[in-house]
Every structure is written in C-alpha cells, then in structure tokens.
Amino acid sequence: MSEAKMRVLITGGAGFIGSHSAEVLRARGIELTVLDNLSTGHLDNLSSLGGRFRFLEGDVRDPEALNSAMEGCQAVLHLAALVSVPESIRSPLLAHAINATGTLNVLEAARAQGIKRVVLASSAAVYGENQNLPLGEGEAAQSLSPYAAQKYLGEVYASIYSHLQGMSPVCLRYFNVFGPRQDPASPYSGVLSLFIEALVQGKKATIFGDGGATRDFVYVEDVALANLLAILAPESSEPLIFNVGTGKRTSILQAFEAVREAAGVQATPAFAPPREGDIVHSCADIGRARASLGYHPRFSFSEGITRTVAWSQGGNA
Ligand SMILES: NC(=O)c1ccc[n+]([C@@H]2O[C@H](COP(=O)([O-])OP(=O)(O)OC[C@H]3O[C@@H](n4cnc5c(N)ncnc54)[C@H](O)[C@@H]3O)[C@@H](O)[C@H]2O)c1
C-alpha cells in the first residue's frame, strides 16, 4: 500500500515515543488515528501536528474503543502501556490488564478488522540479566519483572496471531530511549532525563553505583523511524522481532559528562549505593534491523543529548 493512502492507529500516541512517531508518520503523508487514555501522555505533545489527526480518548482495556479506533486503518502501532517497572511490581494485575490483555485486545481487534500489520512496542527488559552482549534477538529472554514478562507475552501472542490468523506482526525491542518530551517528573523516567532536569535546574544529579554501568541509549527520532520502517516492511509469515538501539554502549558516568557539557555547567554527581535489580550492562545487536528493515540510527549520542538539553532549556522538541 502506498504510504500516502494509509491510515495508521497509534495507541499511546500522546506519549513520548508516540508523539515523535506521529510526527514522522504524518510527515510521510500517512493519516493518523490516536487512541490514548492520557494517563501519562498529553495532547500538547501532538501540538506540532496542528490537529491533523483523529483523536479518541480511550483505553486499550476496552475492546469497543479499539474496534472503533481501527476503523479505516491499515496498520496499528501499539505503544500504550503501563511503562513503570516498579509500578508493575506493585500492581501486577493492573499492569497485566494494560500490558498483556491490552496487547491481546489490540491483536484481536486488528484481526477482526482485517488489519495484518501490528507493530508492538516490546522492550530490552525481556533480556533481563542476560549479559551475552551485544544482545541478539535469539538470546534467551530472562524477564525479571511483571513488566518484562508482559512485554514478552505480547511477543508470544504476536507469534500465535501470525501462525494461526495469518497476521504479520512486528515486535520492536526498544533499548534506552531518550529525547525531548520524556517526562522527568515521572518516577521511572530514564536516567538521562533525570540528569538533564537536575543539571539544567542547578540541582545535584545522583548516580547509583560507581557510574560504570553501561546502556544502549537510542534517540527517540531513531525509534520513531524504526516504527515507520516496521509499519512499511513487507508482509511476512514469520513474526518479526527486532532490537531497536544503536549497538553502542555508554557508561552512566559518560552520560553524566555529556549532559553536563551540553548544559554548559560545572557540576559533579552525587553517588548512592547501587539499586537492587539494576542491570549492569546492556547493548543491542542491531544487525537484524539493519539488514531487514534498513534501520540505521542517524543520531549520535552527543547529538541526541545536545537536542534534548536544548529542548529542556526551552527550545523546540
Ligand atoms: N521509553 C523507553 O525507554 C522504552 C523502552 C522500551 C519500551 N518502551 C515502550 O514504548 C512504549 C511507549 O513508551 P513511552 O516511553 O513513550 O511512554 P509514555 O508513558 O510517554 O507513553 C505511553 C502512552 O500510553 C498511554 N496509555 C497508558 N495506558 C493506556 C491505556 N490503558 N490505554 C490507552 N492509552 C494508555 C499514556 O497516556 C501515554 O500517552 C511503551 O509500550 C513502553 O513500554 C519504552
């Protein structure tokens, strides 16, 4: 199908990754429907679209809302989730209802509407403590939290819908996504947005552990691009799972320095004991996404940091 004649439903489209994905899709002439319950997302995040999308305030736990949201759509980008790992530990049933049953609801509504391509937001969290770096998609899942288990279950359901229903889902395992509009006020926000908020406001940033832990930080516009590529990828009889990261490791200390430099401040971090359950190292092997989707991250870590700091200092997202 030509992109220009396409309508895509984005669940969670008013959130951080959702709003950037909406901009990338809209720039390609794709029509958009957004379903969001606005629990952590904000309509302001979509202000650059000037209202050029259909918005439904609704919940992925509600099959009826999904059915009407999918009307006229040819693909679904499913991002809505309870994204807090600690919250999923405190409230596993609520998290399951949103993340696991919600994803099943999305697949089921898509099946009913004859929509084959559903792109599911999975997570590097499914690898848990697996330290066989860089992590290829064939590495064992070692889910350590209800959140990770629910994301993994979504992938399993995607596989079942591919084999039994002839659908063509794509699961994207995002690594540590950062960029403008990531909410530092949220208790589970990424380490980078917490550093940026602290340094831009002249407060002390805290590093848990010695700062030697490493992450694969991927800029949100590259994730939005991966989402577009996954929506447009040719149909396949196999469910497709792809890592979305950069293939590069940055230590927490290096990340702090990069933020400090971009913010133009003199500061040293406070150090606190490591947090229980924090993974030591994480890094994606993105060879499969490169080869099959043509995914090539365009933003270096420092460029992404410069843009995110500028946004946080009052610039445009
Ligand atoms: N940010 C990351 O580093 C990261 C990493 C791996 C995976 N992910 C996944 O990417 C997706 C998007 O995450 P994000 O970082 O943009 O978070 P976000 O909180 O900014 O976005 C989630 C959106 O979903 C909406 N939502 C939540 N529950 C809903 C429900 N029951 N019904 C309808 N809408 C609902 C929220 O209002 C919000 O707009 C999530 O599925 C998340 O698990 C994110």
Side-chain angles (χ1 to χ4, degrees):
M1 160 142 341
S2 111
E3 297 164 43
K5 291 195 183 120
M6 207 177 191
R7 175 173 283 274
V8 173
L9 167 66
I10 309 183
T11 72
F16 163 52
I17 297 173
S19 60
H20 286 275
S21 303
E23 286 172 354
V24 164
L25 268 59
R26 202 66 199 83
R28 298 286 286 252
I30 296 173
E31 302 286 337
L32 297 178
T33 300
V34 170
L35 176 82
D36 200 301
N37 69 358
L38 302 178
S39 54
T40 56
H42 311 278
L43 273 176
D44 279 358
N45 285 342
L46 293 165
S47 58
S48 71
L49 296 185
R52 289 174 300 132
F53 59 98
R54 184 176 166 224
F55 178 72
L56 294 168
E57 187 168 342
D59 202 293
V60 294
R61 287 168 290 178
D62 175 0
E64 278 314 307
L66 283 167
N67 275 326
S68 53
M70 283 185 203
E71 268 168 35
C73 293
Q74 289 76 41
V76 179
L77 174 59
H78 174 44
L79 302 173
L82 190 155
V83 302
S84 162
V85 170
E87 181 62 29
S88 82
I89 295 168
R90 279 192 299 272
S91 309
L93 294 177
L94 173 67
H96 189 93
I98 297 170
N99 295 345
T101 311
T103 297
L104 183 57
N105 287 339
V106 167
L107 287 164
E108 189 52 17
R111 182 196 61 77
Q113 302 266 353
I115 299 172
K116 293 198 164 183
R117 175 53 45 84
V118 177
V119 177
L120 299 180
S122 187
S123 168
V126 302
Y127 295 114
E129 277 176 338
N130 189 327
Q131 292 286 284
N132 287 333
L133 306 187
L135 291 157
E137 291 85 349
E139 282 296 332
Q142 296 180 8
S143 301
L144 296 173
S145 65
Y147 170 81
Q150 290 146 12
K151 288 289 175 186
Y152 187 64
L153 190 54
E155 296 183 358
V156 175
Y157 274 128
S159 167
I160 290 167
Y161 271 70
S162 165
H163 289 122
L164 295 185
Q165 308 293 354
M167 287 172 57
S168 183
V170 180
C171 305
L172 299 179
R173 292 177 175 170
Y174 306 147
F175 278 65
N176 286 69
V177 189
F178 74 101
R181 300 185 208 134
Q182 193 166 30
D183 187 358
S186 116
Y188 46 86
S189 189
V191 60
L192 288 178
S193 60
L194 295 174
F195 283 171
I196 291 171
E197 192 195 33
L199 293 185
V200 166
Q201 296 183 3
K203 297 183 197 151
K204 199 86 172 161
T206 303
I207 290 180
F208 296 93
D210 63 4
T214 56
R215 295 288 178 269
D216 186 336
F217 293 110
V218 55
Y219 188 61
V220 66
E221 282 190 41
D222 282 325
V223 175
L225 179 67
N227 290 337
L228 171 74
L229 293 169
I231 288 166
L232 299 178
E235 276 180 24
S236 162
S237 55
E238 286 304 307
L240 301 171
I241 297 178
F242 297 104
N243 287 334
V244 176
T246 64
K248 300 197 171 95
R249 283 162 66 178
T250 304
S251 76
I252 302 298
L253 215 46
Q254 287 169 329
F256 175 85
E257 271 308 307
V259 172
R260 193 194 60 67
E261 215 175 293
V265 296
Q266 295 295 328
T268 51
F271 287 91
R275 288 175 303 189
E276 213 181 327
D278 270 357
I279 293 162
V280 185
H281 300 295
S282 172
C283 183
D285 177 344
I286 57 169
R288 189 190 279 185
R290 269 189 209 279
S292 300
L293 295 178
Y295 163 72
H296 299 280
R298 295 166 306 171
F299 292 88
S300 67
F301 179 67
S302 65
E303 196 174 348
I305 287 294
T306 304
R307 286 169 175 248
T308 312
V309 168
W311 169 78
S312 160
Q313 289 171 329
N316 289 328

